Amino acid sequence: MSRMEPVGMGRLAAVLGLVVAVLGGLALAKGAFLVGKHEGDTLHLVDMVLRMGLAGQVPHLDFMTPIGIGATWPIAAFVAAGFGVGHAFFAAQIAVALGLLLPTLLVARSRFPGWVGLAFGAYVMGLCLALVHGEANAVISPSMHYNRWAWALAYLALPLAILRPLPGVGGRPALEGAVIGLALAGLALTKVTYFVALAPAIFLALALRRDWARLGLALGAGLLVAAAMTAGFGFDYWLAYVHDLLAVSRSTIRGAPGADYAEIITAPPYLLGSLGALALVIYWRQSGFKTEGLALLVALPGLAYITYQNWGNDPQWLILLAAFAITLRPDPGARSPEGWPLAAGLGAVALVLATAGAPSAINLFWSPLRHFNTPTDRLVPMIGKRAADADLLVSGARAYHVTEIRPADGPGQPYAAYAALLKAQDIRPEAQETEAVAELNGAALPDCEVGQGYGAVFDTWAKDLGAAGFGGAQIFVADLFSSLWLYGDFPPLAGGTPWYYGGTPGLAGAEHVLVPLCPLSAAARAAALEAVAQAGWRLEEEARGASWVLLRPVR
């Protein structure tokens, strides 16, 4: 087989089908989703999915979120069909993989030769079906599944735009342009960061090649999706989406989810990948692939920005660039003007990129097997809204063993002398610079946060409020996320937000405001109470429990 000979379509389809059957089947065979970490993110996801699947709510129009409808609609559709949340998640992942199967076959066969095409196609399916968002931590979680799905879409659009078809395959401008446009539309409707970061490089790559057919069809396909969304939800949908994105961008409590942008490029965990990516650009340019090299160079800042913006700072693009490097190489004897062996150099670059990306890639593919082998004897249902949702399980200790995080250097604390010394020098801990302690009715609220045991917290609040006669009420929760309604006889707050980013979303329709004495996030509680006051509301105390205060909002 020639180095540039494409893989057979039958063989490729068989491998991809096997990956979907094995990874998807392992998840379904367990009978429940076993959550091992990121319970807060999981509750956030469940909140959105049940709002959509049970109440027919639409993101942005009915509740505030920066996450696009594409991230949750596939799961919500199965919830609406009667699936429990755990099985709905599994079914949605399989549906997404099957939906991307044909485009993946197109890209793998037309852009990547032989075993590289097989590996590329299998990896895209793995991005759709994994049970962890990435990184090297092997603990299972549905958290940030939309990042994986978005990477799968990016893996389709970038090769079609940057690489030319393999010799002998023949181009399909209409089909490929449509796939690029639909993939970009999917990114815009799933997580807009990916679209903003990658669309310029994709359009530039097509323009540099003067590939107006693919570029025009990509734009047409994207506009067709936009028109369909507008026909279904109205123009107000886009206004609401932009409003949510702007609100989150201005949020004072949502900082960068990890390292800063410069560290994503130069810090030790990322430097090898960054150098490998730059080496790929240089070797391509030296090899005569100047258009491809320029397009990739333009794409790199966007790829790094996506990594910076995603929790865990996982550079999922490294495997794609490794496939680029091993695919697009000159003849073995080609040398640069300085005498570099270009083909061998690109092979070394591919090895570096693949090595840097291997821990995350292995974790993704290993996660369904690890999930299947996890014992369930110490697990309990995460929520109790419906009997069907007993297929979402979490460790009993993580759900009900509540831990609180408190400072130990305040007045009367063991390290008060050091706190006084810092205060005298006007030096404050970083956390307190952004997390001011909120006040309620002139009294300072306790300076603590819940670190674990979210199930116990929300279950306790729901039972206490129900016993006090407030069941069925619309309640604004002054905290990071509003999962109260998942644990008791409460409706989701109309116009609210599953995850708090700022402002007073839903407060106008709320009958009560719940203020936790020890919140999940002290910064969110302080920001919420400050926003309530700035919006002109007065809070009148109605009831008080051991861990909460309930107030009535009055204009």
Side-chain angles (χ1 to χ4, degrees), residues 202-266:
I202 288 171
F203 290 140
L204 175 66
L206 295 172
L208 288 172
R209 292 212 312 260
R210 300 184 181 276
D211 196 342
W212 309 122
R214 286 182 177 83
L215 179 56
L217 286 161
L219 290 170
L223 291 174
L224 187 63
V225 172
M229 292 293 296
T230 305
F233 300 112
F235 188 71
D236 286 347
Y237 175 85
W238 300 109
L239 295 178
Y241 194 3
V242 172
H243 172 271
D244 288 356
L245 293 172
L246 290 175
V248 173
S249 70
R250 293 191 295 262
S251 174
T252 59
I253 64 170
R254 183 184 180 272
D260 63 33
Y261 186 73
E263 287 183 283
I264 294 302
I265 299 172
T266 62

Side-chain angles (χ1 to χ4, degrees), residues 474 476 493-496 503-513 532 535 537 553 555:
Q474 291 268 336
F476 177 96
L493 179 61
T504 58
L507 182 62
E511 300 170 76
H512 313 281
V513 174
V532 169
W537 295 87
R555 280 285 189 184

Side-chain angles (χ1 to χ4, degrees), residues 11-420:
R11 184 181 175 193
L12 180 61
V15 169
L16 268 59
L18 181 63
V19 172
V20 174
V22 171
L23 299 187
L26 282 172
L28 287 172
K30 192 62 178 180
F33 197 115
L34 317 182
V35 179
K37 63 179 178 180
H38 297 164
E39 292 92 331
D41 279 5
T42 302
L43 290 175
H44 172 219
L45 174 63
V46 171
D47 193 332
M48 292 191 291
V49 165
L50 293 189
R51 281 174 177 263
M52 296 169 66
L54 300 184
Q57 294 188 4
V58 178
H60 320 304
L61 292 175
D62 295 314
F63 61 92
M64 176 185 173
T65 177
I67 306 301
I69 193 172
T72 47
W73 177 81
I75 310 172
F78 285 102
V79 168
F83 285 57
V85 173
H87 282 85
F89 185 87
F90 297 149
Q93 296 233 116
I94 295 171
V96 169
L98 293 176
L100 297 185
L101 184 61
L102 291 179
T104 303
L105 289 172
L106 170 70
V107 178
R109 176 170 164 75
S110 67
R111 296 305 193 271
F112 300 101
W115 67 267
V116 183
L118 291 173
F120 169 85
Y123 193 72
V124 174
M125 294 295 100
L127 286 169
C128 298
L129 294 162
L131 296 180
V132 67
H133 70 282
E135 297 187 89
N137 186 345
V139 181
I140 301 301
S141 171
S143 173
M144 297 168 287
H145 70 285
Y146 42 79
N147 288 342
R148 293 186 285 101
W149 293 359
W151 278 122
L153 292 170
Y155 267 54
L156 300 179
L158 285 168
L160 289 177
I162 294 177
L163 301 181
R164 292 179 172 83
L166 295 176
V169 173
R172 296 182 173 89
L175 184 58
E176 293 178 359
V179 170
I180 293 171
L182 293 175
L184 287 174
L187 292 177
L189 292 172
T190 300
K191 193 169 182 184
V192 75
T193 305
Y194 287 74
F195 175 83
V196 172
L198 299 180
I202 288 171
F203 290 140
L204 175 66
L206 295 172
L208 288 172
R209 292 212 312 260
R210 300 184 181 276
D211 196 342
W212 309 122
R214 286 182 177 83
L215 179 56
L217 286 161
L219 290 170
L223 291 174
L224 187 63
V225 172
M229 292 293 296
T230 305
F233 300 112
F235 188 71
D236 286 347
Y237 175 85
W238 300 109
L239 295 178
Y241 194 3
V242 172
H243 172 271
D244 288 356
L245 293 172
L246 290 175
V248 173
S249 70
R250 293 191 295 262
S251 174
T252 59
I253 64 170
R254 183 184 180 272
D260 63 33
Y261 186 73
E263 287 183 283
I264 294 302
I265 299 172
T266 62
Y270 311 103
L271 184 58
L272 185 63
S274 299
L275 293 176
L278 290 176
L280 174 55
V281 171
I282 293 170
Y283 269 102
W284 267 0
R285 301 278 293 177
Q286 291 285 340
S287 301
F289 308 124
K290 297 186 180 299
T291 299
E292 292 85 350
L294 179 57
L296 180 58
L297 182 62
V298 173
L300 289 180
L303 293 169
Y305 182 78
I306 295 171
T307 304
Y308 153 78
Q309 198 269 338
N310 285 350
W311 172 265
N313 302 140
D314 202 12
Q316 291 284 0
W317 44 273
L318 292 174
I319 298 299
L320 177 61
L321 265 59
F324 279 0
I326 201 68
T327 295
L328 192 59
R329 291 179 292 163
D331 293 333
R335 291 181 174 272
S336 71
E338 295 79 14
W340 304 349
L342 295 174
L346 281 165
V349 169
L351 181 61
V352 168
L353 291 167
T355 301
S360 179
I362 293 170
N363 197 23
L364 292 172
F365 274 83
W366 191 251
S367 58
L369 181 60
R370 179 178 290 275
H371 178 267
F372 181 77
N373 288 328
T374 300
T376 60
D377 54 331
R378 294 181 179 272
L379 304 183
V380 298
M382 177 172 276
I383 61 172
K385 192 68 176 179
R386 304 181 303 161
D389 296 328
D391 64 350
L392 187 69
L393 304 180
V394 67
S395 159
R398 292 183 67 91
Y400 296 119
H401 180 66
V402 181
T403 61
E404 292 185 355
I405 304 169
R406 296 177 180 271
D409 60 356
Q413 297 294 331
Y415 307 102
Y418 296 98

Side-chain angles (χ1 to χ4, degrees), residues 397-473:
R398 292 183 67 91
Y400 296 119
H401 180 66
V402 181
T403 61
E404 292 185 355
I405 304 169
R406 296 177 180 271
D409 60 356
Q413 297 294 331
Y415 307 102
Y418 296 98
L421 179 62
L422 291 174
K423 184 176 181 180
Q425 300 181 48
D426 195 26
I427 298 174
R428 295 175 296 167
E430 290 185 8
Q432 292 185 11
E433 290 179 356
T434 57
E435 298 182 5
V437 177
E439 291 189 357
L440 187 64
N441 295 336
L445 292 168
D447 188 9
C448 68
E449 291 182 329
V450 172
Q452 181 181 286
Y454 297 159
V457 170
F458 286 115
D459 199 38
T460 298
W461 291 353
K463 289 176 179 176
D464 287 353
L465 291 167
F470 297 102

